[in-house]
Amino acid sequence: MTKLRAWLLMGVLTMLLVFIGQLVGGRSGAMLFFIIALGMNFVSYFFSDKIALAMTGAQELHEHESPELFAMVRRLSQRAGIPMPRVYRIPSPQPNAFATGRNPAHSAVAVTDGLMHILNRSEVEGVLAHEIAHIKNRDVLVGTIAASLAGAITMIANALQWGLIFGGSDDEEGGGGILGLVGTLLMIILAPIAAMLIQLAISRAREYGADETGARLAGTPEGLANALLKLEQAAHQVPMPVNPATSHLFIVNPLSGQSLAALFSTHPPIQERVARLKAMRY
């Protein structure tokens, strides 16, 4: 089902790019954008984890650098029945974390420096359990692909915006003139909206599921519930300069209170998540 959702996501984005390419440059524009879409889909499927990690500035950790962190990740992975993911650190004072990868065999967990400094051991374990739950539930494929595709779409929109400023197309196949101008404007306006809609579509339901699975992996919902409250408060106080295309990957929205993107939250309300966790029966 996850793979089907991933292919549907890539298919919708391909059709969107081909449609915009047709408006911008006629048949040649449609073909160019189709080739671009194929390349984006290939790279997103096989290299989206590396792209997401690079976009967040994550650096791979080795076990001797953080043995306690590795011990928690190893123990939780064994409970989840998945291979141990690679472990990364993000040099940011904001406490946060995310998981990435196309499947459990090719996955990674990234935590910020702030997470290790602000949370206690049970809270860190709760956050790690949540992220490993994403890997176990195979949420990371769609989320990571969405991050890389959203980033690429935004780059294309920005490139077209500059192209519109410095001159339009003169394609004789129907892409020039007013139609090309309209197509370029549509791309500039709709591409960021499409990227945001993708993130909204995949984020909210999966967070509830990962919270529940993570609480069971940790053995108690208390650590994760307490961590979520601390993380939400810190996200409003401690800045984290992160690409908005990756914001849906994190356990709490890293952009809270920092930009207009916070108005389009990709995460369920923290209070609702905490209430669900505290209502869990063991």
Side-chain angles (χ1 to χ4, degrees):
M1 190 63 187
T2 300
K3 286 186 177 181
L4 177 60
R5 289 172 60 201
W7 286 110
L8 285 174
L9 173 61
M10 292 188 287
V12 169
L13 286 174
T14 298
M15 290 187 289
L16 172 64
L17 287 178
V18 170
F19 172 70
I20 297 298
Q22 174 72 31
L23 291 177
V24 173
R27 283 175 293 176
S28 60
M31 181 58 65
L32 173 62
F33 274 66
F34 177 70
I35 294 172
I36 291 173
L38 289 181
M40 287 171 54
N41 289 336
F42 177 84
V43 171
S44 295
Y45 187 84
F46 288 102
F47 302 103
S48 55
D49 56 338
K50 294 179 176 62
I51 294 171
L53 291 165
M55 289 170 73
T56 58
Q59 305 163 2
E60 187 165 9
L61 279 174
H62 300 286
E63 188 160 3
H64 70 272
E65 296 176 284
S66 187
E68 186 176 8
L69 176 62
F70 271 74
M72 284 190 281
V73 173
R74 182 175 292 109
R75 182 169 59 254
L76 292 167
S77 300
Q78 290 172 348
R79 290 180 185 175
I82 63 171
M84 180 172 171
R86 303 186 312 278
V87 182
Y88 287 76
R89 67 171 283 264
I90 302 171
S92 170
Q94 183 189 103
N96 222 319
F98 74 90
T100 184
R102 68 177 183 271
N103 56 43
H106 301 86
S107 61
V109 172
V111 299
T112 64
D113 291 341
L115 185 88
M116 303 304 295
H117 294 154
I118 293 175
L119 303 187
N120 62 38
R121 190 180 184 282
S122 66
E123 292 165 350
V124 172
E125 188 169 40
V127 170
L128 291 173
H130 170 96
E131 298 307 331
I132 288 171
H134 276 310
I135 298 172
K136 175 180 173 63
N137 295 343
R138 297 180 179 268
D139 297 327
V140 290
L141 174 63
V142 177
T144 307
I145 287 176
S148 59
L149 290 178
I153 288 175
T154 302
M155 288 176 61
I156 292 173
N158 290 336
L160 287 174
Q161 186 175 20
W162 284 108
L164 181 62
I165 292 173
F166 291 107
S169 169
D170 294 322
D171 194 301
E172 294 181 357
E173 293 181 284
I178 188 65
L179 192 59
L181 176 62
V182 170
T184 304
L185 288 173
L186 278 174
M187 186 65 179
I188 293 168
I189 295 170
L190 294 180
I193 296 175
M196 183 61 70
L197 288 176
I198 292 164
Q199 295 172 18
L200 289 172
I202 66 172
S203 296
R204 291 177 178 265
R206 76 189 185 104
E207 290 302 322
Y208 289 129
D211 284 345
E212 181 179 351
T213 303
R216 299 190 186 283
L217 290 175
T220 174
E222 294 299 323
L224 179 56
N226 293 336
L228 288 174
L229 294 174
K230 288 185 178 180
L231 295 180
E232 181 188 37
Q233 184 177 15
H236 288 278
Q237 298 174 348
V238 182
M240 185 175 182
V242 64
N243 190 317
T246 65
S247 64
H248 65 287
L249 294 176
F250 288 85
I251 187 169
V252 298
N253 187 357
L255 301 174
S256 295
Q258 292 183 50
S259 69
L260 186 61
L263 296 176
F264 301 92
S265 176
T266 58
H267 296 71
I270 292 295
Q271 296 298 331
E272 175 64 23
R273 294 171 67 181
V274 170
R276 291 190 181 206
L277 284 167
K278 291 185 175 180
M280 288 182 65
R281 295 275 187 261
Y282 279 85

